[in-house]
Amino acid sequence: ETSEIETLERLVKYLNTLRPLVMEDVPATGLLPDKQGFAQCTHKVGLVYASAVPVDSYMNQGGKVDFQAKVAELILIGQYYGALKYAAESQRHCGGSGKRRKVFLMPLGGGVFNNPWDIIAKSMAKAIQLLDNSLLAMLDITALVWQGNPS
């Protein structure tokens, strides 16, 4: 049986093979400031679909929570890094010299997936730190937050 330490080491070793689902030129619009309707403006965005590992929730209930949290953190780092690297490299390849690509990072794993907020924030920060300076210079990164009634 593989130990938790060996499992985490393998996950770190092969984390670079994680491939997020990426879409470009997706039509988008936003909400009005009061969140009661949609804004009239439209634009196109790049979208990276990513998810998190549930920690002590869904099918992971009653397991080794510390181990689940370590796995969840590594997966979050991989998801955020993959999205950021893709955004930077696509900006570079599209001739975006001097122009930075705007990236909004959504907190993955909060809510029902039960990922602790410190892991989510730390994973965003680590992913940003993993980018080399030339890639980081291609991005304008913002972390999204929500304020208001969640329903």
Side-chain angles (χ1 to χ4, degrees):
E1 184 175 309
T2 305
S3 74
E4 291 176 7
I5 293 171
E6 290 172 317
T7 300
L8 292 172
E9 287 172 351
R10 282 193 188 147
L11 182 54
V12 168
K13 180 178 180 181
Y14 293 106
L15 197 56
N16 66 313
T17 64
L18 185 142
R19 296 291 180 261
L21 175 62
V22 178
M23 296 159 273
E24 288 284 356
D25 297 321
V26 178
T29 189
L31 292 175
L32 296 170
D34 65 4
K35 302 175 195 144
Q36 299 300 309
F38 288 101
Q40 295 300 311
C41 60
T42 60
H43 55 283
K44 293 186 178 184
V45 299
L47 178 68
V48 177
Y49 182 80
S51 189
V53 173
V55 175
D56 200 28
S57 65
Y58 291 99
M59 297 303 289
N60 286 343
Q61 285 182 319
K64 299 177 179 179
V65 177
D66 289 342
F67 175 67
Q68 291 175 20
K70 289 175 185 170
V71 170
E73 182 176 354
L74 289 170
I75 294 297
L76 286 177
I77 292 167
Q79 298 274 22
Y80 287 125
Y81 177 76
L84 292 168
K85 186 173 183 193
Y86 173 81
E89 288 179 345
S90 65
Q91 181 70 3
R92 180 188 293 165
H93 293 304
C94 292
S97 61
K99 187 173 182 190
R100 297 166 68 195
R101 186 167 190 178
K102 192 146 197 61
V103 176
F104 295 95
L105 295 178
M106 183 177 194
L108 299 173
V112 295
F113 271 41
N114 212 23
N115 284 220
W117 285 105
D118 63 321
I119 286 177
I120 297 169
K122 188 169 32 168
S123 298
M124 285 182 187
K126 283 184 179 180
I128 292 167
Q129 290 171 340
L130 286 170
L131 293 171
D132 66 46
N133 287 337
S134 68
L135 291 177
L136 188 56
M138 302 298 296
L139 302 175
D140 176 9
I141 303 167
T142 301
L144 293 177
V145 294
W146 174 262
Q147 181 179 357
N149 184 342
S151 60

